[in-house]
Amino acid sequence: MKRNHLDLQSVKNKLNELKGKSVEMSINRGRKKIDVVNATIKDLYPSVFTITTNGNLQTFSYFDIMCGNVVIINE
């Protein structure tokens, strides 16, 4: 379910501005588990983006931000 009123292009533009920068993210993993991590946005692809946290690479879709499963806390 879409929570915030962001369109796909604005999400991609915002992530493109933050590419290579360190950000704090809140990630809803399901079953009442929410992780707050310091991450660096590494790459942007047509349907997903990647982040690195402590040397680990993780992939998320842009829809994860649009529906609120991934929230960028500070920019």
Side-chain angles (χ1 to χ4, degrees), residues 7-13 15-16 19 43-50 59-64 66:
D7 60 319
L8 180 62
Q9 194 59 43
S10 65
V11 170
K12 286 184 178 183
N13 290 340
L15 287 174
N16 196 23
K19 183 177 176 182
D43 288 315
L44 303 173
Y45 297 102
S47 58
V48 296
F49 65 98
T50 58
T59 304
F60 298 98
S61 70
Y62 299 112
F63 188 74
D64 289 331
M66 292 172 63

Side-chain angles (χ1 to χ4, degrees), residues 1-73:
M1 176 186 263
K2 200 173 186 181
R3 290 187 185 171
N4 47 14
H5 301 289
L6 296 174
D7 60 319
L8 180 62
Q9 194 59 43
S10 65
V11 170
K12 286 184 178 183
N13 290 340
K14 188 64 170 174
L15 287 174
N16 196 23
E17 292 174 9
L18 297 173
K19 183 177 176 182
K21 297 181 181 175
S22 180
V23 294
E24 187 174 358
M25 300 175 77
S26 172
I27 304 168
N28 184 354
R29 303 278 187 193
R31 296 198 180 251
K32 299 181 182 179
K33 183 173 181 185
I34 296 176
D35 293 336
V36 177
V37 297
N38 289 320
T40 303
I41 298 174
K42 184 168 172 71
D43 288 315
L44 303 173
Y45 297 102
S47 58
V48 296
F49 65 98
T50 58
I51 64 169
T52 55
T53 57
N54 299 330
N56 296 327
L57 186 68
Q58 297 181 10
T59 304
F60 298 98
S61 70
Y62 299 112
F63 188 74
D64 289 331
I65 291 180
M66 292 172 63
C67 69
N69 288 336
V70 175
V71 177
I72 298 173
I73 298 171

